[in-house]
């Protein structure tokens, strides 16, 4: 679907792209701001900020109910954002694109709708590598409906092998919930194989695309998934908006979730009939301005030469990984040789919070903690790790500044 | 400043610590000193690192044990992070072995401001420290109030 983008993948002006993120030219504690926490939330380009501001200033009204021109234009902008998302991930139809507050709400939406069709003894397969957002809703659902959770583990390369999924499938498996890219290891998962296996067993699959959508083209139809969720804020868009893509069959058959305005057809004292998808799943006034912002973020990503961006991020990922691996006092988690935009590590003998705090003094922003993935931390035998993550705006200078600061942390803490 | 020198034991110790910190230069030296203080503190034995002694609200793990000893309270603590461990050592140097009344009268926020450690620490860190100070105060309050 992004053939047009690939055709233009001749040149990527990294400095010009970086210049669109004004915060990156600021200083922190007397050092250039070195932002290596994109996997937690990305910085926003000027075009996203401007689109939201312009919409608020000149086009804002509530959507789907106004009988005046301003509301009609706001509704057009909101639905154009939905179409932008549809095209971005090649969803079959706009009704398959449900706006949510974020990926977390998207997963809870699936738990509340698809989950309502599950019966005691049914099984959900997930992995210890999932973000808490793709664990806790299933634990709550399992407790409420008497379901069984079946846990998969990643291999030494930071990948949940398709064979492990195949072995976990039983006649009672109803749902598979796995991430498309690990938020700790940064490894891309064989999602297409997961979908094929799940389909062969007659179950449904949800993919958590929060990290994957930032770094690679997504085609939900080629993947063959039932549900695909991601958030706007990691994709250079605003917080407060995310997407749950549903396969057409689910969009047309699942029960509603939250009740309220927008999602109804008729309401009387005697009962209620519900609107069709996607509005059926979007109770209340949606995040209208944020949808416009997400649309602008998608425009930003789509106008970049994706292949060149991937090469740029891969090169920086290699510089980051090799820089870490060259340091004997550093443990890197995940594959030894795969360049990736997200790398978890620890300075041996130091707590990652110590490392993050010293790096902060050098203007370097990294994440340290459990990364909302405590089962994975337990699996790795650690309580926490540090994590550096790259975005489209990251530079070789960022990586070098980070490695220098890490050496200082090593000297201070060892 | 001589005439404003404190007479109560916690404030006298704070004066000493402040003099030490005044000798330090940039943040690197201050952090280095805090880390050294942590290294010098005897670790808490593993058996005492329990859910009951763990201080909630800290970004890293912090444990605090309070033991009344005559009319004073002896505190011991630990953390799995070097910098926090140093801050724990600093706080315990101030409050351990003091009477409950002195502990309750001690303004920890002001002390850390004076040492230049309030802004040097990330807010999340400061919250962790604040949780520990709150725990120390709660212990002092509990032990100052006769049971029954």
């Amino acid at each position: 679907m992004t053939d047009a983008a690939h055709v233009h993948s001749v040149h990527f002006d990294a400095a010009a792209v970086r210049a669109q993120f004004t915060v990156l030219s600021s200083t922190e504690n007397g050092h250039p701001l070195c932002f290596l926490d994109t996997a937690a939330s990305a910085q926003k380009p000027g075009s996203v900020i401007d689109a939201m501001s312009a919409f608020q200033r000149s086009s804002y009204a509530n959507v789907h109910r106004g009988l005046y021109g301003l509301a009609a234009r706001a509704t057009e902008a909101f639905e154009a954002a939905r179409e932008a998302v549809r095209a971005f991930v090649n969803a079959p139809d706009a009704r398959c694109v449900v706006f949510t507050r974020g990926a977390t709400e998207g997963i809870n939406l699936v738990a509340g709708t698809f989950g309502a069709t599950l019966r005691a003894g049914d099984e959900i397969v997930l992995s210890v590598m999932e973000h808490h957002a793709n664990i806790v809703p299933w634990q709550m659902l399992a407790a409420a409906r008497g379901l069984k959770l079946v846990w998969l583990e990643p291999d030494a390369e930071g990948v949940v092998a398709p064979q492990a999924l195949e072995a976990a499938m039983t006649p009672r498996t109803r749902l598979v919930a796995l991430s498309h890219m690990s938020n700790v290891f940064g490894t891309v998962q064989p999602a297409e194989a997961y979908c094929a296996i799940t389909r062969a067993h007659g179950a449904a699959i949800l993919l958590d695309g929060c990290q994957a959508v930032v770094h690679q083209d997504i085609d939900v139809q080629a993947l063959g998934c039932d549900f695909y969720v991601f958030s706007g804020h990691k994709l250079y868009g605003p917080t407060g908006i995310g997407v749950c893509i549903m396969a057409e069959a689910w969009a047309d058959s699942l029960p509603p979730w939250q009740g309220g305005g927008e999602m109804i057809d008729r309401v009387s004292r005697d009962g209620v009939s519900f609107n069709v998808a996607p509005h059926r799943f979007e109770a209340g006034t949606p995040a209208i301005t944020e949808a416009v912002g997400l649309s602008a973020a998608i425009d930003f990503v789509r106008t970049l030469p994706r292949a060149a961006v991937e090469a740029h991020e891969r090169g920086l990922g290699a510089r980051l990984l090799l820089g870490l691996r060259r340091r004997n006092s550093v443990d890197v988690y995940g594959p030894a040789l795969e360049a990736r935009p997200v790398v978890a590590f620890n300075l041996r003998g130091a707590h990652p919070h110590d490392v993050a705090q010293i790096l902060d003094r050098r203007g370097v922003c990294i994440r340290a903690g459990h990364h909302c993935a405590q089962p994975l931390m337990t699996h790795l035998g650690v309580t926490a790790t540090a994590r550096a993550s790259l975005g489209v705006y990251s530079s070789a200078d960022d990586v070098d500044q980070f490695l220098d600061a890490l050496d200082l942390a090593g000297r201070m803490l060892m | 400043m001589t005439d404003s020198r404190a007479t109560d034991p916690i404030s006298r110790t704070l004066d000493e610590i402040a003099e030490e910190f005044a000798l330090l230069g940039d943040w690197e030296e201050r952090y280095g000193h805090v880390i050294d203080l942590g290294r010098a503190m005897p670790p808490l034995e593993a058996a005492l690192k329990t859910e009951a002694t763990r201080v909630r609200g800290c970004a890293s793990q912090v444990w605090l044990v309070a033991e009344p000893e005559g009319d004073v309270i002896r505190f011991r603590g630990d953390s799995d992070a070097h910098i926090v461990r140093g801050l724990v050592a600093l706080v315990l140097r101030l409050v351990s072995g003091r009477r409950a009344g002195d502990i309750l009268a001690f303004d920890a926020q002001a002390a850390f401001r004076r040492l230049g450690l309030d802004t040097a620490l990330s807010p999340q860190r400061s919250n962790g420290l604040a949780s520990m100070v709150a725990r120390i105060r709660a212990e002092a309050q509990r032990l100052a109030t006769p049971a029954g």
Side-chain angles (χ1 to χ4, degrees), chain B residues 32-84:
Chain B
H33 184 57
V34 168
I35 292 166
D36 287 343
L37 291 174
R39 287 190 206 284
M41 181 172 72
L44 204 59
E45 48 267 49
L48 288 174
K49 291 181 181 174
T50 63
E51 264 313 287
T53 60
R54 193 168 70 85
V55 179
R56 282 171 204 289
C58 293
S60 43
Q61 299 201 80
V62 174
W63 299 270
L64 186 75
V65 177
E67 295 152 326
E69 210 178 276
D71 62 345
V72 301
I73 308 169
R74 184 118 2 237
F75 287 101
R76 288 190 289 157
D78 210 339
S79 170
D80 56 354
H82 291 290
I83 297 172
V84 171

Side-chain angles (χ1 to χ4, degrees), chain A residues 85-210:
Chain A
V85 173
R86 188 210 63 73
F88 183 57
V89 298
N90 195 31
D93 188 86
R95 77 184 194 285
C96 303
V97 178
V98 179
F99 281 126
T100 59
R101 278 190 299 139
T104 297
E105 191 179 69
I107 295 171
N108 278 279
L109 165 65
V110 176
T113 54
F114 178 84
T117 69
L118 303 187
R119 296 207 192 90
D122 284 346
E123 296 175 8
I124 297 176
V125 179
L126 68 173
S127 91
V128 299
M129 201 169 65
E130 301 311 307
H131 187 284
H132 292 165
N134 200 22
I135 293 177
V136 180
W138 309 123
Q139 290 177 319
M140 292 167 71
L141 186 69
R145 304 189 79 86
L147 312 178
K148 182 180 169 195
L149 298 185
V150 179
W151 296 88
L152 306 179
E153 292 183 352
D155 60 20
E157 294 295 294
V159 171
V160 173
Q163 296 88 323
L165 175 61
E166 178 66 55
M169 301 299 287
T170 78
R172 293 306 301 268
T173 307
R174 296 290 311 280
L175 181 73
V176 172
L178 294 170
S179 73
H180 194 179
M181 179 177 173
S182 163
N183 74 315
V184 175
F185 295 134
T187 44
V188 177
Q189 306 297 312
E192 213 166 325
Y194 298 159
C195 293
I197 291 166
T198 305
R199 205 164 39 245
H201 287 269
I205 181 165
L206 173 144
L207 292 173
D208 170 1
C210 282

Side-chain angles (χ1 to χ4, degrees), chain A residues 31 349-355 357-362 368 383 408 411-414, chain B residues 27-29 31-32 35 39 59-61 80-84 119-122 124-125:
Chain A
H31 296 270
H351 194 287
H353 286 139
D354 288 321
V355 176
Q357 211 172 343
I358 290 170
L359 264 52
D360 172 54
R361 297 297 317 187
R362 285 292 192 91
T383 54
L408 172 68
R411 287 196 298 277
M412 291 182 70
L413 294 166
M414 313 293 258
Chain B
W27 71 269
E28 212 175 307
E29 289 186 14
Y31 272 49
I35 292 166
R39 287 190 206 284
S60 43
Q61 299 201 80
D80 56 354
H82 291 290
I83 297 172
V84 171
T119 49
L121 300 166
S122 69
Q124 203 183 5
R125 256 339 145 118

Side-chain angles (χ1 to χ4, degrees), chain A residues 5-13 17 300-311:
Chain A
H6 284 301
V7 168
H8 300 293
S9 64
V10 282
H11 182 60
F12 170 61
D13 186 344
V17 169
F300 166 75
V301 171
R302 292 198 75 172
T303 48
L304 293 172
R306 194 74 175 213
V309 169
E310 281 176 25

Side-chain angles (χ1 to χ4, degrees), chain A residues 19-45:
Chain A
Q20 296 176 47
F21 297 80
T22 47
V23 71
L24 299 178
S25 54
S26 63
T27 59
E28 186 80 13
N29 295 319
H31 296 270
L33 180 73
C34 171
F35 187 77
L36 294 179
D37 197 21
T38 294
S41 201
Q43 296 297 335
K44 322 303 172 198

Side-chain angles (χ1 to χ4, degrees), chain B residues 88-136:
Chain B
V88 170
L90 203 59
V91 171
L92 296 194
R93 187 168 149 199
L94 288 161
V95 303
S96 185
R98 313 297 185 199
R99 278 192 286 271
D102 287 338
I103 294 169
L104 291 170
F106 169 59
D107 184 348
Q109 283 296 328
F112 274 82
R113 230 180 354 260
R114 183 171 164 197
L115 299 176
L117 289 171
D118 55 334
T119 49
L121 300 166
S122 69
Q124 203 183 5
R125 256 339 145 118
S126 299
N127 289 340
L129 202 60
S131 301
M132 187 182 67
V133 170
R135 178 78 163 263
I136 288 169

